[in-house]
Amino acid sequence: MIARQSIDEQRALFETDARIVHRLLSQQVVQHDAILDTLALLQPAPGAPVSAAPEQRLPSLYPHILSVQRREHGAAWADPDLASAEQRSAQDRRPALVRPDLASGRYRLVLAALPTAYALTIDLRGMVPWSEWPMKPEASPVRVVLEHEGQRVELQSGDAAALARSGGWRFEFHKHLAAASQPFGVVAEQRLGWSQLPWGLMLAWTALVATALTLGAQWQRQRTARRRAEELLRLGQVARLNTLGELAAGMAHELNQPLTAVLANTQAAQRLLAENPPELDTARQAMAQAVDQSRRAAEVVGRLRRTVERPGTPDGATTAAVLSLDLAEAARRAVHLLEPECRRRGVVAQVQADAAVTVAGDPVAVDQIVHNLLMNALQAMDAVPVAQRALQLTLRRDGGVGELAVADRGPGIAPGALPRLFEPFFSTRDGGLGLGLSLCETLAQGMGGSLAAANQPGGGAVFTLRLPLSRGTA
């Protein structure tokens, strides 16, 4: 844009200067016609001395008029070219151009009149009004030429080296002078080279745009990273809450058995003590208090279990929002969130979905399941070379069920670990709590679906999440 604007400005300046040159030269040639017409009107009386003729004063008034010739009535021109030009002048009733020799830098103009005909010899370069010239002849890159019938005379040389080069932009102006008696063509030429473009301004603009684009891209990356971090934080909070619920449910299950045993033993002891003599009333009362405390502990543990399994409702009703969601979009969202992890491990996750798979489920729960499966797959592939790592997410419909398969190229699942993979507190990873897959299975079952694991024939593991299709989709 800057280059085009600069070229257009240079072209406009060139055309303006060329038009001014044409106007100035046209004024000069029109003035020559007017001088001849004036001479014809102011002819001296017959027999008057030549010194009294007005044309003798013209060279002093107009230095570019080198000489003035006259032919008296009945006489003949010494130059046949003048005679031929006078005949054309008489026929056209206007001044006529004598066959010019532009190489000499001058030309002659004849006017047929009675009783005396006149001829002017004019200096081509001398007639140029340099004081009004729009350009500096010694510095301007524009070449100005007068041409006529293949002959040319240069008034301004311009930048000859630039005009001889190819490339760049060439400006040209062609127009005849405004006098029919002197049909010279004004030709102006200029070549604008690549080096004459405003490179400083263009480079500054390019740097400004590049800086703006870089800052915009950096801002976009930061914005994406911030959103990814917020989403990961949200999923992490949900995962911690669900893990806490799974842990509390496991603890409640584990504590409920000994509490039940305590309750049964104390009840038996109460019955046995009841058969003793009456002096054992104190022991009977102690056993009764133990029974009450055991029942109270069981109620507390049961209430904790109900709370963590169905949070937010006093009556134990579920609050999970079952909505229609695009399973492929959930997969792509999880891949986007784990993009830094995939890039760090040299894994390219591919999502393949032949058709839209819309299922009924809790969006937060589905996000957590897919996130957990992808993270497990990435961690499993740490044990294989980078070149062998691959992660494939495949979505399809199977009757009234939508299916998402997460397949990796890791070492696979040990045969002994496969049956226990979804048990709480069972983990194949050092330091693992063993609650992730158990929680994912619980969430899938809570939405009416299932989660299964298997080894691939070619190596690696595949986890398959199956959820019911939403109404209208099946």
Side-chain angles (χ1 to χ4, degrees):
M1 180 186 65
I2 295 173
R4 175 54 57 188
Q5 182 180 3
S6 175
I7 293 169
D8 291 342
E9 290 177 355
Q10 293 290 335
R11 188 189 304 276
L13 179 62
F14 165 81
E15 291 180 352
T16 299
D17 290 343
R19 289 191 181 95
I20 293 175
V21 167
H22 177 268
R23 177 175 56 81
L24 293 175
L25 295 177
S26 294
Q27 290 174 353
Q28 292 296 103
V29 295
V30 169
Q31 185 182 59
H32 299 158
D33 287 352
I35 289 173
L36 287 173
D37 291 337
T38 303
L39 289 176
L41 290 174
L42 300 178
Q43 291 190 42
V50 176
S51 59
E55 69 269 14
Q56 302 304 319
R57 297 192 297 273
L58 284 177
S60 61
L61 296 175
Y62 304 99
H64 64 279
I65 299 179
L66 301 178
S67 64
V68 181
Q69 297 174 274
R70 57 187 296 172
R71 183 194 61 77
E72 300 295 343
H73 181 66
W77 293 103
D79 189 343
D81 290 337
L82 291 173
S84 175
E86 183 182 359
Q87 291 178 1
R88 285 187 282 106
S89 174
Q91 181 180 354
D92 297 336
R93 296 183 179 180
R94 68 184 181 199
L97 185 66
V98 181
R99 185 173 60 182
D101 180 14
L102 298 186
S104 64
R106 60 185 64 183
Y107 71 95
R108 292 178 294 177
L109 195 62
V110 174
L111 175 64
L114 291 175
T116 305
Y118 294 92
L120 301 180
T121 301
I122 301 168
D123 182 7
L124 278 168
R125 291 186 58 85
M127 75 175 187
V128 177
W130 298 111
S131 60
E132 303 176 41
W133 203 248
M135 300 166 280
K136 294 182 178 180
E138 66 280 359
S140 175
V142 180
R143 179 168 66 180
V144 180
V145 176
L146 283 180
E147 63 177 11
H148 177 71
E149 295 181 350
Q151 301 183 57
R152 309 186 82 185
V153 60
E154 188 175 80
L155 301 182
Q156 181 173 294
S157 60
D159 191 347
L163 288 169
R165 289 195 298 265
S166 59
W169 295 265
R170 187 181 185 91
F171 309 147
E172 293 184 346
F173 176 87
H174 295 265
K175 194 172 183 181
H176 283 86
L177 296 179
S181 62
Q182 301 156 79
F184 300 118
V186 178
V187 178
E189 299 172 302
Q190 181 184 357
R191 182 176 293 279
L192 183 67
W194 288 94
S195 61
Q196 296 173 275
L197 294 179
W199 288 106
L201 180 59
M202 290 192 291
L203 290 175
W205 175 256
T206 303
L208 178 62
V209 172
T211 302
L213 290 177
T214 302
L215 293 177
Q218 183 178 1
W219 175 81
Q220 184 65 27
R221 287 194 298 270
Q222 292 176 350
R223 183 166 174 263
T224 302
R226 184 170 61 252
R227 286 184 176 179
R228 183 184 289 114
E230 291 173 354
E231 188 66 16
L232 288 173
L233 178 62
R234 183 183 68 86
L235 285 177
Q237 291 173 344
V238 172
R240 283 191 293 272
L241 289 175
N242 287 332
T243 303
L244 177 61
E246 189 78 7
L247 180 62
M251 291 176 60
H253 176 73
E254 297 294 331
L255 290 174
N256 194 47
Q257 292 180 354
L259 287 176
T260 302
V262 169
L263 178 60
N265 291 334
T266 54
Q267 286 176 338
Q270 186 180 24
R271 288 194 300 270
L272 292 173
L273 291 175
E275 298 176 358
N276 290 334
E279 60 270 12
L280 298 177
D281 289 341
T282 304
R284 187 181 302 111
Q285 292 175 0
M287 289 297 99
Q289 292 177 0
V291 170
D292 293 337
Q293 291 299 323
S294 298
R295 288 175 177 171
R296 183 178 179 183
E299 290 177 0
V300 170
V301 172
R303 185 165 61 253
L304 174 62
R305 182 171 185 174
R306 290 192 302 271
T307 300
V308 298
E309 285 185 344
R310 301 178 180 85
T313 55
D315 56 353
T318 180
T319 60
V322 178
L323 304 173
S324 294
L325 58 98
D326 187 350
L327 196 56
E329 182 61 28
R332 295 189 183 95
R333 187 163 56 247
V335 170
H336 172 70
L337 290 176
L338 290 175
E339 182 182 349
E341 289 292 330
C342 294
R343 189 167 54 249
R344 185 171 64 85
R345 289 178 164 88
V347 177
V348 178
Q350 297 181 347
V351 180
Q352 181 179 356
D354 296 335
V357 181
T358 305
V359 299
D362 179 11
V364 176
V366 172
D367 283 350
Q368 185 177 354
I369 293 172
V370 179
H371 180 273
N372 219 338
L373 295 180
L374 291 179
M375 199 65 206
N376 286 347
L378 291 175
Q379 291 173 351
M381 287 189 289
D382 288 341
V384 300
V386 176
Q388 299 179 12
R389 298 174 186 177
L391 185 57
Q392 180 76 35
L393 289 80
T394 307
L395 295 104
R396 67 184 186 92
R397 296 181 185 177
D398 184 10
V401 176
E403 185 177 286
L404 168 63
V406 180
D408 62 64
R409 288 295 179 184
I413 306 170
L418 193 58
R420 304 183 58 195
L421 206 57
F422 296 103
E423 290 183 7
F425 308 108
F426 175 79
S427 177
T428 60
R429 191 171 63 250
D430 294 339
L433 292 177
L435 292 173
L437 289 177
S438 174
L439 173 62
C440 290
E441 184 186 39
T442 302
L443 293 175
Q445 291 175 349
M447 293 182 288
S450 64
L451 182 62
N455 285 316
Q456 298 189 90
V462 57
F463 286 81
T464 305
L465 172 65
R466 294 169 60 86
L467 294 173
L469 294 175
S470 64
R471 292 183 179 180
T473 304

